[in-house]
Amino acid sequence: MSASRILMHIYAWTGLAIIVVGIAYTFVSPPQSLRTDRDGVPHFTPEVEHPITGEGVSVNELIRHYRGD
């Protein structure tokens, strides 16, 4: 195996390691902008039950309704 081939392997594995560590860090400790949307609702909020019809309504839809949008 030539030296240039070994260096390319090292370069590729280092790049892969940096990407994997960066993605893992984002999942473990996400920035504040990824935790909530502009209305302060967490991104993975489940739907709430409509009291009359019993169907699921998203929290963002409720916010738009009461804000008047």
Side-chain angles (χ1 to χ4, degrees):
M1 199 177 255
S2 67
S4 63
R5 189 169 171 95
I6 292 172
L7 287 175
M8 284 305 293
H9 280 281
I10 293 171
Y11 180 75
W13 283 106
T14 303
L16 177 66
I18 290 171
I19 290 170
V20 168
V21 168
I23 290 173
Y25 179 74
T26 303
F27 278 120
V28 171
S29 177
Q32 186 64 31
S33 62
L34 290 178
R35 293 181 186 160
T36 59
D37 62 8
R38 67 184 181 104
D39 295 321
V41 179
H43 285 293
F44 300 110
T45 302
E47 292 185 338
V48 294
E49 184 178 348
H50 190 281
I52 298 172
T53 63
E55 65 184 18
V57 179
S58 74
V59 175
N60 289 327
E61 187 176 330
L62 289 175
I63 290 172
R64 285 192 304 272
H65 171 73
Y66 285 108
R67 202 171 42 202
D69 293 348

